[in-house]
Amino acid sequence: MLVWSFTSFVTRKYSGGIVVKAFSLLSKSLLLLFIFGTSNVSADNEEPLKQVTFNEVLALNSEGPTKAYSYGDQTSQFIQFWSTREHSDSAANVIFIHGGCWLKDYDITHTNPASNALRNAGFNVWSIEYRRLGQEGGDWPASLNDVEAAIDFIGDKLNGRPSAVMGHSAGGHLAFLATANDTPASPNINVVIGLAAITDMVSYTQTDGSCNRAALNLMKTAYENTSDYQKASPRTQKLRDNTWLIQGDADRIVPLSQTHNIDVETEILEGVGHFDLIHPHSSAWKAIIKRLNNELNP
């Protein structure tokens, strides 16, 4: 019965009757040794995740940043620096902007695991916090002004190595705008990457959804007419050369329509949801690291 119970356990982890037959011939001690001796191999070979939830992102563990910098007087005007484990002076840089519907309720901490994973992948990471709707001085375009100021601050501290500006969701929207129209910060940037970035504020604010409503409330702080929202839309701006938009085709928060009518390189990831793009164990994450390596470490 003892052998059968372990055989059943293995059957659930490893498919195929051949495995069961092979294990049934082993002694109990050898069976235990085989199971525990190969458990790490199984973990390493797990299928990459898709359609992760925000709660799954929040549940991730992460080491903290190497250092923090202030680029303004407000509490939300700071940058977390995640230095590579080795050879920081020669590592490429990723300037990262978190999402969260431009709302004060969603701060930089939910992307700490992503920043840590970028560091582990060999990049120096500069993660930007900024003022958001609901905070004092958080009306539009405070978020954009902060991101532009932070990128300018970081530019003076870069190591001369290739650099990317990358943002997720609302952060992707800010990444596109902050590097558009030949802004002063942009000459130091090799590539801009939006992960499920909002590109058309007019259409996005006219669609039902919690993040859509947040976008509408944000735009109302600056504009009276819906047509004016295009002033805050990346698709109407002169974006940098070598700008990429990475988007999952199963995203329920930022739809595929946000990839339309915008002059950027687009990479559509099959079966990928919104939060897969900031989860280091997702299939989308592998695509993101590949893109960064292609652009920064050719």
Side-chain angles (χ1 to χ4, degrees):
M1 291 297 293
L2 182 60
V3 173
W4 172 251
S5 65
F6 278 110
T7 303
S8 299
F9 171 78
V10 175
T11 305
R12 286 193 294 272
K13 290 184 71 64
Y14 303 91
S15 62
I18 295 176
V19 175
V20 174
K21 291 178 182 178
F23 278 129
S24 67
L25 299 175
L26 295 173
S27 67
K28 296 177 184 178
S29 59
L30 287 175
L31 182 59
L32 286 169
L33 179 62
F34 188 91
I35 291 169
F36 291 108
T38 59
S39 59
N40 289 335
V41 175
S42 175
D44 291 341
N45 291 336
E46 287 180 357
E47 285 292 321
L49 301 175
K50 287 187 179 182
Q51 288 293 321
V52 302
T53 66
F54 185 59
N55 285 335
E56 288 177 288
V57 171
L58 294 179
L60 292 167
N61 294 321
S62 174
E63 297 181 34
T66 308
K67 193 172 181 179
Y69 299 92
S70 295
Y71 64 89
D73 297 330
Q74 302 300 311
T75 56
S76 291
Q77 293 174 324
F78 66 88
I79 300 156
Q80 292 179 338
F81 175 58
W82 308 70
S83 175
T84 54
R85 307 293 184 189
E86 298 178 355
H87 310 298
S88 178
D89 289 343
S90 60
N93 302 277
V94 177
I95 299 169
F96 188 70
I97 308 159
H98 74 84
C101 306
W102 309 270
L103 294 171
K104 70 176 182 64
D105 308 87
Y106 305 103
D107 65 7
I108 197 172
T109 56
H110 77 271
T111 54
N112 282 358
S115 293
N116 189 56
L118 287 169
R119 168 171 63 183
N120 291 340
F123 301 101
N124 291 324
V125 184
W126 307 79
S127 186
I128 298 173
E129 185 60 287
Y130 52 93
R131 287 174 294 173
R132 303 171 309 284
L133 190 64
Q135 293 180 306
E136 183 178 356
D139 293 355
W140 184 258
S143 296
L144 176 59
N145 292 340
D146 282 1
V147 169
E148 289 177 345
I151 293 174
D152 187 53
F153 178 93
I154 293 166
D156 293 333
K157 298 183 177 299
L158 294 176
N159 55 7
R161 299 295 297 154
S163 302
V165 172
M166 184 170 75
H168 175 243
S169 194
H173 166 260
L174 295 171
F176 281 174
L177 290 180
T179 56
N181 303 315
D182 300 319
T183 53
S186 61
N188 295 323
I189 305 304
N190 299 77
V191 62
V192 179
I193 302 174
L195 309 175
I198 293 95
T199 66
D200 182 358
M201 293 296 277
V202 175
S203 65
Y204 196 70
T205 55
Q206 294 174 346
T207 306
D208 189 39
S210 58
C211 199
N212 308 75
R213 289 190 292 274
L216 179 61
N217 291 333
L218 180 68
M219 291 295 96
K220 284 181 177 179
T221 66
Y223 308 115
E224 294 184 2
N225 301 314
T226 304
S227 59
D228 288 337
Y229 299 174
Q230 63 183 320
K231 297 175 183 177
S233 297
R235 66 179 293 248
T236 68
Q237 311 301 315
K238 179 188 175 185
L239 300 181
R240 279 186 58 83
D241 292 338
N242 205 26
T243 293
W244 283 80
L245 180 55
I246 301 178
Q247 174 76 37
D249 67 1
D251 194 323
R252 298 184 181 90
I253 295 176
V254 179
L256 269 179
S257 59
Q258 290 293 310
T259 67
H260 300 164
N261 302 315
I262 181 168
D263 187 20
V264 296
E265 300 288 343
T266 304
E267 185 173 356
I268 307 299
L269 304 179
E270 183 178 357
V272 164
H274 191 69
F275 298 110
D276 297 16
L277 296 165
I278 52 171
H279 197 297
H281 305 306
S282 70
S283 61
W285 190 256
K286 293 178 181 293
I288 292 165
I289 297 300
K290 182 178 179 181
R291 174 54 49 199
L292 286 170
N293 278 320
N294 286 347
E295 300 299 330
L296 302 181
N297 297 309

